[in-house]
């Protein structure tokens, strides 16, 4: 129905996460209408990101391909000497780091698992950067590991797995709290979240 | 926060229609995880579509850049001698043609306006392919123009404008029907649609 290059573009866009056939079509025609330079800027950005960005070989955050470990990259979080090396925050994906950094509450370093345990998707501990996490804890003087995987089934399973794995090596292992979101409403909270909020209650000091 | 190429990609993706900052981030990390060939296929598809696809100089549907008019393109709708040249369907965008072709109910030719009248967006008749439509009606032996712009404010304004423009040149001008969608439910129809459905009622022949 469409010329082949248009259909090819729609098919390729349709493979992106969260882009259905209708959105793919809409985006394709948007790109067709754009000035050629604007459209090619996107094409170049894709090619460039694949060329110049790698996962750091130590923390597995995204980093400049010029540095095999991002500790050597002057712009990375790991290279900053203001970060507390005794605290290690374990997350699923690089974007989780951005979310945590935005709070300004954490001054340690990060380790990216590159996913969460999910047997349905064929992802077990071997597919994640767990071995690398153990190596790192052994080499650095890590005192506390904060497990910040998502509070969903896969994230909780990963957290439980890591907690068991780390319990005998003499470091503190903690998990971010689940509970009501700030500004939320008890009436509208689902029972699981409310249950967790009750379970995780803290003593009020007045 | 992210390496510059990643941030650039997120920014470029965020400019696409229907892609917010969160989706842009999600798509960018998806592309980062993809094998390099798969990601570059998308980059190439964008570059290729800008190189090889143009609007036909006659009907303004998308067509191969090798042919200035898609009548000469053996794969186009206009080149088929099975199409009725006396019927001309006027649509806003090339994707509307695909929707109409899918019904299998229309055997005429198409004219793409490349938009609809929308003063808020600075789009008037001069920004649309209206002059080209008049030329085409003059040159071809068009007997009926079916206005298939969208049944929203902009599409209706465009339809009214075209109806007035064409009323004195002695051809039939028609508009696709508005009404309840097939399989729909009277109870849930909005009052505008229901009003239109009543207004457009047809005699039942038993």
């Amino acid at each position: 129905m469409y010329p082949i290059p248009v259909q090819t573009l729609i098919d390729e866009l349709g493979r992106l996460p969260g882009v259905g056939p209708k959105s793919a079509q809409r985006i394709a025609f948007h790109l067709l209408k754009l000035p050629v330079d604007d459209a090619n800027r996107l094409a170049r950005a894709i090619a460039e990101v694949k060329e110049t960005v790698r996962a750091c070989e130590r923390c597995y955050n995204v980093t400049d391909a010029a540095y095999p470990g991002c500790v050597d990259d002057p712009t990375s979080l790991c290279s900053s000497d203001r970060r507390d090396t005794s605290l290690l925050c374990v997350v699923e994906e690089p974007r989780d780091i951005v979310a945590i950094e935005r709070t300004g509450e954490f001054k340690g370093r990060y380790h990216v698992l590159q996913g969460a345990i999910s047997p349905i998707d064929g992802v077990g501990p071997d597919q994640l950067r767990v071995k690398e996490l153990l190596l790192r804890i052994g080499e650095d003087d890590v005192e506390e590991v904060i497990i910040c995987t998502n509070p969903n089934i896969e994230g909780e399973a990963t957290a439980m797995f890591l907690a068991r794995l780390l319990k005998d090596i003499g470091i503190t292992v903690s998990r971010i709290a689940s509970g009501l979101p700030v500004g939320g409403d008890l009436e509208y909270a689902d029972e699981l979240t409310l249950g967790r909020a009750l379970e995780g209650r803290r003593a009020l000091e007045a």
Side-chain angles (χ1 to χ4, degrees), chain A residues 19-127:
Chain A
V19 179
K22 289 268 169 195
S23 310
Q25 193 172 287
R26 190 165 156 223
I27 295 174
F29 279 101
H30 171 82
L31 287 169
L32 264 171
K33 272 197 172 177
L34 275 188
V36 61
D37 286 349
D38 290 1
N40 283 339
R41 241 191 358 250
L42 172 60
R44 266 203 314 277
I46 296 169
E48 199 184 325
V49 99
K50 297 306 287 184
E51 256 172 49
T52 63
V53 178
R54 294 282 176 281
C56 164
E57 286 175 12
R58 201 171 157 74
C59 71
Y60 295 92
N61 190 5
V62 284
T63 183
D64 196 309
Y67 308 97
C70 68
V71 179
D72 304 315
D73 175 356
T75 65
S76 84
L77 288 172
C78 286
S79 69
S80 165
D81 50 14
R82 292 218 201 127
R83 312 290 301 198
D84 183 351
T85 53
S86 69
L87 277 176
L88 189 64
C89 178
V90 177
V91 295
E92 293 180 21
E93 300 289 349
R95 56 176 175 261
D96 302 329
I97 295 181
V98 176
I100 297 172
E101 281 298 296
R102 224 178 275 133
T103 68
E105 295 283 335
F106 180 71
K107 289 291 166 220
R109 290 192 176 170
Y110 293 97
H111 187 85
V112 179
L113 290 174
Q114 297 190 327
I117 294 174
S118 170
I120 290 174
D121 305 314
V123 180
D126 292 345
Q127 276 73 49

